[in-house]
């Protein structure tokens, strides 16, 4: 039997009832009025001061202060609407700065649920704070208002607290009933007691007990508890009542509350949302939510785009596909972390010096984590609504798709073919949710947050659950067209292209091939003021730059698959293929020359779609309308499904501010530069902001050597590049040009150098040399997550075709210069033959990079003022 050191409540009669307090006790009072809580707080505080204990008061509620102003206590005044995580951190910092065995008083916790519109988050706060105080041996007093919370709050709090007490006021007397008293017991301890004449006397009369407890009972004849209506439901009920018969002022007031409760706490987003969301829109969001909290950036962007279009022009209501999405709210994520023991490990990830330590441990716990029964039941009801229609579960965090931060490609989205039994579909869905939750702890996501100084920001993960747009063709499900559109075109490859007209990246099938960089295929890039002008150059070469693979949902296999377009087309009997395809005339010409008669294979050119339908005009109008509303360029993901060759439905999958600068600026071309001083020259594609700047270091991966290496050796080269790019802090990294064969960031080493973007995110310019294979041509990557990374980091992208006019790389100049690799990485001797480093940091004027994205020209050259030695670099 453990020996306990008992402390006093400040009330001898209360000490006798409870057998005193034990170091580490968290005492919760459930009351009808805060004044009844205060009756216990003041004696407790006075006793703490008499004993010379540290007294700490956390003040955050709207009720009157619990402590008099002249009481010697450390007071922390906090605002709950700063957000759950910052508020929790402020509380814990206050606790950490106090000596152990201190006495704490918290304002009534009910105000936290009101501020956060969530009983669930109130419970999470208590479950993260109570054990911390317990481990320190502190004492703490808390209060809840009775019948203001659902069991989602009261049960976890009661389970976590050491002492939980019900306090009632009846006929001007206080009654108390201990519901939980950990590590202490007496035969009468848990009976109802009356506080009278400085004693707590057990109440034994049944009529008195019934008079006091009966009005508070939640028992029903149906055998289930009647849930008290929590702040979330009360707010939605009030909003519905106002919608049904309230005044205009009442509508505005409740709409303002719902916007902060459901949509965002970001003032810029709230301003935009308040302009376009009606009260009925907000109620519809609330009715389709699982859990409490915010719906997150991606959900807000999709809903805002639809509202903006429909409020601006009624015809969009006919063009837009009806959506019936659901939203797994952000509080569900925090609850999942708390209940699965992930919170405290995750907390240390906020430290910039240790932000990756423990991330793998948290990811493992998340992948194997469980959900509360109530949450699983809501998941099941949602899946019953969708039936066996394919769905996609998309990340929708609080910071995602916001002004200034896109998080493009950092968090997962998961397609669920949604086939099989109810149990299997539920398990598949839960697995998708866990996958997205785990992606918040990925190295790429954490590195992005660190790079943008967001490690300490409140980053909860909401989820957007959407019905996949498309139709069934055989056993394949997919949309006819999908893509991404920019209201501003950052890739102006021709002087006739208007950057303000916008640009699209189009694919056939699921949009994954439009937003994820495909190493083995191409997409159609469309300038919206000149849709038939292709960036690939000569029309005769068009057939080499078409999409040949299609991403679809195979319902028989119950998964996302990639198939050849020509293998998918036999299933597309109800699809207007002529809109999207053109016959391969080159194959027909070759066949005729050989005297053969064949049916020409189809190429995905989208020519008739762009030329003969209103699709391009309407896409430009849509992007212009959204940009005008946002007062900022936008990035939109979409699908389109055609009833016939003239009628189609558009679905907006995502809309967010476009993180891009005006890349159309003209830069004066340097005067004639001798060819022996040119390190590289390219005639496009060139993507990024036009510039004339110094280069301090060049890292060159030699294509002819790299091409002979094994797969394992190529991965080693990629890791070596990552080390070179992070030898110094990011703000001290020299301006670096990275040159190499094939595609940087590929997942397939046979196609390029398989670096992750986080390994090369300190580079100034990136050059892909088309030298891995004759059939491998760099893709401009416009609209992909890879492209978004380049734009956000202001990295210049270039492609170089060694055998094309206007393209050159001066290998002789590299060969004649000293390789600085071993000076930077002495242990990299085995890679000196493949990775060549030119370090110009001691003479930053020695090398210049010129790039004009309008003229699609770029050149890296040695300064004319420097003399070359033996054809090499200047001394």
């Amino acid at each position: 039997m453990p020996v306990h050191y008992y402390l006093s409540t400040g009330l001898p009669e209360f000490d006798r009832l409870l057998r005193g307090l034990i170091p580490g006790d968290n005492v919760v009072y459930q009351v009808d009025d805060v004044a009844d809580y205060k009756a216990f707080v003041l004696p407790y505080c006075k006793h703490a001061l008499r004993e010379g204990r540290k007294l700490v008061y956390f003040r955050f509620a709207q009720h009157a202060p619990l402590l008099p102003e002249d009481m010697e206590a450390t007071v922390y005044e906090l605002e709950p609407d700063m957000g759950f995580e910052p508020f929790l951190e402020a509380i814990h910092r206050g606790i950490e700065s106090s000596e152990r065995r201190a006495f704490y008083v918290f304002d009534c916790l009910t105000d936290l649920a009101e501020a956060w519109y969530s009983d669930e988050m109130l419970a999470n706060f208590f479950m993260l704070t109570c054990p911390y105080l317990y481990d320190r041996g502190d004492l703490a007093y808390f209060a809840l208002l009775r019948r203001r919370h659902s069991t989602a709050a009261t049960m976890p709090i009661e389970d976590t607290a050491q002492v939980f007490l019900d306090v009632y006021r009846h006929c001007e007397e206080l009654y108390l009933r201990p519901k939980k008293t950990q590590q202490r017991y007496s035969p009468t301890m848990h009976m109802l007691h009356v506080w009278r004449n400085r004693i707590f006397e057990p109440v034994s009369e049944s009529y008195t007990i019934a008079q006091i407890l009966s009005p508070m009972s939640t028992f029903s004849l149906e055998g289930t508890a009647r849930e008290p209506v929590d702040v979330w439901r009360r707010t939605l009920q009030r909003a519905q009542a106002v919608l049904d018969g309230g005044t205009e002022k009442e509508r505005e007031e409740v709409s303002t509350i719902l916007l902060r409760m459901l949509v965002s706490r970001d003032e810029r987003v709230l301003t935009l949302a308040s302009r376009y969301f009606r009260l009925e829109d907000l109620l519809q969001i609330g009715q389709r939510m699982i859990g409490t909290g915010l719906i997150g950036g991606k959900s807000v962007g999709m809903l805002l785009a639809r509202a903006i279009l429909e409020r601006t022009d009624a015809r969009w209501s006919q063009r837009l596909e009806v959506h019936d999405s659901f939203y797994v709210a952000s509080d569900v994520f925090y609850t999942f972390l708390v209940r699965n023991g992930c919170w405290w490990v995750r907390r240390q990830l906020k430290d910039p010096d240790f932000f990756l330590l423990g991330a793998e441990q948290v990811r493992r716990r998340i992948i194997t984590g469980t959900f509360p029964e109530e949450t699983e039941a809501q998941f099941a009801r949602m899946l019953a609504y969708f039936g066996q229609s394919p769905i996609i579960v998309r990340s929708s965090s609080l910071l995602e798709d916001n002004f200034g931060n896109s998080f493009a490609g950092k968090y997962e989205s998961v397609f669920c073919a949604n086939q099989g039994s109810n149990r299997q579909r539920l398990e598949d869905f839960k697995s998708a949710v866990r996958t997205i939750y785990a992606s918040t702890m990925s190295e790429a996501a954490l590195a992005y947050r660190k790079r943008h100084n967001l490690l300490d920001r409140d980053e909860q993960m909401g989820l957007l659950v959407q019905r996949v747009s498309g139709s069934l063709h055989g056993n394949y499900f997919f949309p006819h067209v999908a893509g991404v559109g920019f209201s501003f075109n950052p890739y102006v490859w021709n002087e006739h292209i208007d950057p303000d007209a916008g640009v699209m990246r189009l694919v056939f099938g699921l949009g994954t091939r439009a937003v994820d960089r495909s190493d083995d295929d191409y997409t159609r890039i469309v300038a919206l003021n000149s849709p038939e002008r292709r960036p690939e150059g000569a029309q005769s070469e068009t057939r080499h730059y078409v999409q040949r693979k299609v991403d679809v949902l195979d319902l028989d296999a119950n998964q996302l698959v990639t198939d050849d377009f020509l293998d998918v087309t036999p299933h597309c009997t109800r699809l207007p293929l002529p809109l999207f395809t053109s016959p391969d005339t080159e194959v027909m010409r070759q066949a005729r020359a050989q005297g053969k008669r064949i049916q020409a294979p189809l190429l995905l050119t989208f020519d008739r779609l762009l030329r003969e339908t209103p699709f391009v005009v309407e896409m430009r109008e849509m992007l212009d309308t959204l940009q005008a509303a946002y007062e900022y360029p936008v990035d939109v993901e979409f699908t389109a499904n055609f009833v016939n060759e003239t009628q189609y439905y558009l679905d907006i999958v995502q809309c967010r501010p476009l993180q891009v600068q005006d890349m159309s600026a003209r830069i004066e071309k340097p005067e004639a530069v001798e060819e022996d001083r040119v390190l590289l020259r390219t005639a496009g594609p060139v993507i990024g902001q036009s510039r004339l700047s110094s280069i301090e270091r060049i890292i060159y991966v030699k294509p002819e050597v790299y091409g002979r290496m094994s797969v394992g050796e190529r991965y080693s080269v990629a890791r070596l590049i990552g080390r070179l790019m992070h030898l110094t802090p990011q703000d001290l990294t020299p301006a670096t040009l990275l040159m190499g064969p094939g595609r940087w960031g590929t997942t397939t080493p046979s196609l390029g150098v398989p670096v992750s973007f986080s390994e090369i995110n300190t580079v100034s310019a990136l050059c892909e040399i088309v030298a891995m294979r004759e059939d491998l041509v760099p893709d401009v990557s416009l609209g992909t997550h890879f492209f978004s990374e380049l734009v956000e980091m202001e990295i210049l992208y270039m492609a170089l075709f060694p055998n094309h006019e206007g393209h050159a790389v001066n290998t002789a100049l590299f060969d004649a210069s000293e390789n600085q690799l071993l000076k930077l990485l002495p242990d990299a001797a085995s890679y000196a033959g493949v990775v060549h480093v030119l370090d110009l940091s001691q003479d930053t004027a020695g090398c210049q990079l010129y790039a004009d994205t309008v003229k699609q020209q770029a050149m890296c050259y040695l300064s004319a003022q420097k003399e070359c030695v033996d054809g090499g670099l200047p001394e």
Side-chain angles (χ1 to χ4, degrees):
M1 188 76 177
V3 177
H4 298 298
Y5 171 52
Y6 289 98
L7 301 171
S8 176
T9 64
L11 294 166
E13 60 270 35
F14 197 13
D15 292 339
R16 286 192 290 272
L17 171 62
L18 293 181
R19 302 293 189 266
L21 297 178
I22 301 172
D25 273 352
N26 289 268
V27 184
V28 179
Y29 295 85
Q30 188 165 240
V31 299
D32 295 310
D33 191 292
V34 174
D36 296 337
Y37 173 45
K38 189 174 181 178
F40 294 91
V41 167
L42 289 178
Y44 164 81
C45 294
K46 292 176 181 177
H47 173 74
L49 296 175
R50 284 197 303 270
E51 293 292 313
R53 296 301 184 102
K54 175 82 169 179
L55 178 62
V56 180
Y57 175 30
F58 287 112
R59 174 84 177 119
F60 49 78
Q62 298 298 313
H63 59 67
L66 298 172
L67 275 61
E69 289 186 6
D70 60 353
M71 182 167 280
E72 297 179 11
T74 300
V75 181
Y76 293 94
E77 295 193 9
L78 304 171
E79 295 293 335
D81 59 7
M82 68 171 55
F84 174 82
E85 198 160 353
F87 181 83
L88 179 71
E89 290 296 320
I91 293 284
H92 284 223
R93 282 196 299 270
I95 296 172
E96 289 167 359
S97 65
S98 301
E99 59 196 55
R100 290 177 178 267
R101 302 298 175 98
F103 282 51
Y104 290 86
V105 175
F106 288 76
D107 270 350
C108 182
L109 297 179
T110 297
D111 274 43
L112 297 182
E114 300 281 347
W116 297 332
Y117 304 102
S118 174
D119 271 11
E120 205 168 7
M121 295 311 293
L122 168 60
N124 289 336
F125 169 78
F126 190 84
M127 292 174 69
L128 293 169
T129 304
C130 168
Y132 187 40
L133 293 165
Y134 177 82
D135 290 341
R136 289 168 46 94
D138 298 327
L139 292 180
Y141 270 27
F142 303 86
L144 291 170
L145 292 182
R146 183 177 292 104
R147 299 191 62 77
R148 296 286 292 275
H149 302 283
S150 66
T151 54
T154 56
M155 291 305 293
I157 290 175
E158 186 176 335
D159 289 343
T160 309
Q162 285 70 48
V163 179
F164 192 98
L165 307 153
D166 268 322
V167 179
Y168 308 96
R169 184 169 288 277
H170 178 68
C171 296
E172 301 305 317
E173 289 188 307
L174 276 181
Y175 291 78
L176 184 143
R177 182 176 65 166
K179 293 185 69 176
K180 179 181 181 182
T181 51
Q182 188 170 290
Q183 297 179 328
R184 69 213 86 177
Y185 171 77
S186 75
T188 61
M189 185 177 290
H190 296 101
M191 292 177 62
L192 184 68
H193 293 71
V194 61
W195 192 6
R196 184 185 296 158
N197 299 326
R198 300 178 65 90
I199 64 170
F200 280 96
E201 182 179 338
V203 178
S204 59
E205 298 87 357
S206 59
Y207 59 86
T208 303
I209 297 173
Q211 281 181 336
I212 295 171
L213 298 186
S214 181
M216 310 301 172
S217 174
T218 57
F219 181 80
S220 72
L221 292 176
E222 287 78 12
T224 59
R226 293 199 304 271
E227 279 280 294
V229 180
D230 62 8
V231 60
W232 183 270
R233 295 177 179 86
R234 283 198 305 274
T235 306
L236 290 177
Q237 288 173 358
R238 177 192 170 199
Q240 185 64 56
V242 169
L243 179 65
D244 293 339
T247 64
E248 187 61 33
K249 182 180 179 180
E250 288 174 326
R251 287 189 174 209
E252 290 179 6
E253 289 176 351
V254 78
S255 292
T256 299
I257 293 171
L258 289 185
L259 283 169
R260 298 189 70 84
M261 174 173 144
L262 308 173
V263 175
S264 180
R265 310 283 162 80
D266 184 281
E267 293 303 325
R268 197 167 178 181
V269 175
L270 286 171
T271 299
L272 189 59
S274 63
R275 195 178 304 151
Y276 292 100
F277 283 157
R278 298 171 179 169
L279 179 54
E280 48 265 49
D281 299 326
L282 297 170
L283 275 168
Q284 287 175 5
I285 294 172
Q287 291 161 1
R288 301 187 74 83
M289 290 178 68
I290 293 175
T292 61
L294 298 170
I295 60 176
K298 196 163 291 180
S299 297
V300 171
M302 180 271 291
L303 291 168
L304 257 179
R306 297 180 65 92
I308 289 167
L309 293 173
E310 291 174 343
R311 304 286 183 267
T312 304
D313 191 332
R315 67 188 172 93
W316 286 109
S317 297
Q318 303 300 316
R319 178 65 78 201
L320 292 176
E321 188 174 319
V322 174
H323 92 95
D324 55 355
S325 306
F326 285 84
Y327 320 97
V328 180
S330 55
D331 293 351
V332 177
F333 172 63
Y334 272 174
T335 299
F336 181 88
L337 295 182
V338 173
R339 306 294 169 88
N340 288 284
C342 301
W343 183 270
W344 294 115
V345 181
R346 176 183 180 271
R347 187 189 181 204
Q348 74 182 31
L349 304 182
K350 293 184 174 188
D351 188 330
D353 296 326
F354 305 100
F355 73 103
L356 292 178
L357 293 179
E360 183 59 36
Q361 177 187 353
V362 176
R363 283 197 296 270
R364 285 196 300 269
R365 288 188 182 180
I366 290 175
I367 290 298
T368 58
T370 60
F371 297 91
E373 289 184 13
E374 181 181 355
T375 301
E376 281 206 18
Q378 290 179 292
F379 287 169
R381 288 195 293 272
M382 178 192 66
L383 293 175
Y385 168 84
F386 281 122
Q388 291 191 305
S389 295
I391 58 176
I392 180 171
V393 190
R394 299 168 66 87
S395 66
S396 184
S397 81
L398 300 196
L399 299 178
E400 195 173 2
D401 291 357
N402 214 328
F403 288 95
N405 306 297
S406 70
F407 280 86
K410 296 298 173 288
Y411 300 141
E412 295 283 353
S413 290
V414 181
F415 281 100
C416 293
N418 205 26
Q419 306 300 296
S421 66
N422 293 343
R423 182 179 181 83
Q424 180 182 349
R425 292 189 294 117
L426 178 59
E427 290 303 318
D428 289 345
F429 178 79
K430 290 191 296 182
S431 177
V433 173
R434 293 188 194 101
T435 298
I436 298 171
Y437 283 177
S439 71
T440 64
M441 311 299 169
S442 70
E443 181 177 349
L446 292 171
Y448 183 96
R449 291 182 65 184
K450 179 185 179 184
R451 192 164 66 244
H452 292 267
N453 298 315
L454 299 172
L455 284 175
D456 61 346
R457 289 284 299 276
D458 197 5
E459 177 63 333
Q460 293 172 255
M461 177 57 74
L463 300 174
L464 171 60
V465 185
Q466 294 173 296
R467 186 188 299 274
V468 177
S469 173
S471 53
L472 191 61
H473 303 277
N475 60 308
Y476 290 153
F477 189 96
F478 58 89
H480 302 163
V481 175
V484 59
F486 290 175
S487 63
F488 175 83
N489 185 355
Y491 176 35
V492 182
W493 64 85
N494 184 284
E495 293 187 356
H496 297 286
I497 302 298
D498 178 8
D500 292 323
V503 64
M504 287 190 302
R505 179 182 175 95
L506 280 181
V507 297
F508 182 81
L510 293 171
T512 43
R513 301 192 81 76
V515 296
D516 296 327
R517 194 172 187 227
S518 299
D519 293 322
D520 57 351
D521 209 4
Y522 303 94
T523 59
R524 181 70 194 263
I525 307 296
V526 183
L528 293 178
N529 74 306
S530 186
E532 295 185 69
R533 193 181 298 276
R534 301 180 67 111
E536 294 87 2
Q539 189 69 26
S540 60
E541 296 185 3
T542 295
R543 65 186 304 272
H544 298 295
Y545 304 106
V546 298
Q547 178 187 353
R548 289 183 167 81
K549 295 182 182 295
V550 182
D551 286 352
V552 299
L553 287 170
D554 186 334
L555 300 192
D556 285 350
N558 199 26
Q559 63 182 344
L560 173 70
V561 300
T562 299
D563 210 341
D564 290 333
F565 170 67
L566 295 179
D567 292 333
V568 172
T569 51
H571 303 284
C572 302
T573 55
R574 295 179 291 105
L575 208 161
L577 280 176
L579 274 182
F580 317 126
T581 61
S582 304
D584 190 337
T585 55
E586 178 62 21
V587 171
M588 291 179 64
R589 186 191 63 78
Q590 293 176 3
R592 281 197 299 268
Q594 298 173 10
K596 298 178 181 178
R597 297 183 63 184
I598 63 169
Q599 184 176 358
L602 298 176
L603 299 176
L604 275 169
T605 60
F606 301 98
D607 286 346
R608 285 189 58 197
L609 171 70
L610 303 176
R611 187 172 55 240
E612 301 177 13
T613 73
F615 185 67
V616 170
V617 173
E618 292 187 345
M619 289 300 295
R620 182 172 178 179
E621 291 175 353
M622 179 190 76
L623 292 169
D624 284 346
T625 300
L626 294 174
Q627 176 172 291
Y630 270 78
E631 299 179 351
Y632 203 88
V634 294
D635 166 359
V636 177
E637 289 182 31
F638 61 88
T639 65
N641 293 286
F642 287 76
V643 179
N644 50 50
E645 293 194 5
T646 59
Q647 183 183 0
Y648 72 95
Y649 290 100
L650 187 70
D651 187 31
I652 297 177
V653 177
Q654 175 181 306
C655 178
R656 63 187 175 199
L658 175 61
Q659 315 302 325
V660 66
Q661 299 180 14
D662 186 346
M663 299 183 182
S664 60
R666 303 297 290 269
I667 300 295
E668 200 65 34
K669 187 175 182 179
E671 295 182 5
V673 178
E674 297 85 351
E675 283 302 314
D676 63 352
R677 291 194 290 113
V678 176
L679 286 162
L680 71 85
R681 185 192 304 276
T682 177
V686 180
I687 305 176
Q689 196 161 18
S690 297
R691 67 191 69 186
L692 180 60
S693 58
S694 297
I695 290 294
E696 300 169 272
R697 181 176 293 167
I698 299 175
I699 301 175
Y700 175 43
V701 180
K702 298 180 178 179
E704 67 278 9
V705 181
Y706 186 81
R708 296 193 299 268
M709 300 182 90
S710 67
V711 170
E713 290 172 324
R714 292 180 182 184
Y715 277 113
S716 296
V717 168
R719 303 295 81 78
L720 179 70
I721 298 297
R723 291 173 61 198
L724 285 170
M725 293 309 306
H726 290 84
L727 289 173
T728 58
Q730 185 168 341
D731 57 345
L732 298 178
T733 300
T736 303
L737 166 64
L738 191 55
M739 303 169 58
R743 295 181 177 174
W744 287 103
T746 179
T747 55
T748 309
S750 62
L751 302 180
V753 185
V755 292
S756 66
F757 190 83
S758 61
E759 289 179 304
I760 59 171
N761 58 15
T762 56
V763 75
S764 301
L766 194 65
C767 179
E768 296 185 337
I769 303 173
V770 184
M772 288 289 293
R773 289 192 336 221
E774 292 183 1
D775 64 337
L776 178 64
V777 180
D779 184 8
V780 293
S781 300
L782 188 73
T784 65
H785 299 319
F786 181 83
F787 177 81
S788 297
E789 290 272 24
L790 296 177
V791 170
E792 283 195 34
M793 299 302 295
E794 299 182 21
I795 297 171
L796 183 76
Y797 167 87
M798 303 175 286
L800 191 151
F801 297 72
N803 299 319
H804 287 209
E805 182 179 351
H807 297 251
V809 57
N810 193 338
T811 56
L813 199 153
F814 279 99
D815 291 340
S817 63
E818 181 184 357
N819 189 350
Q820 304 290 319
L821 175 64
L822 299 186
K823 290 184 179 180
L824 298 174
L825 293 176
D827 61 344
S830 57
Y831 296 99
V834 63
V835 178
H836 196 105
V837 179
L838 302 183
D839 196 344
L840 306 162
S841 58
Q842 301 304 313
D843 191 356
T844 56
C847 188
Q848 299 292 314
L849 176 63
Y850 156 76
D852 188 326
T853 57
V854 174
K855 290 185 176 181
Q856 285 293 284
Q857 295 178 350
M859 177 173 59
C860 185
Y861 60 95
L862 299 179
S863 174
Q865 289 79 16
K866 306 298 172 184
E867 294 184 0
C868 298
V869 179
D870 298 328
L873 293 177
E875 291 184 327

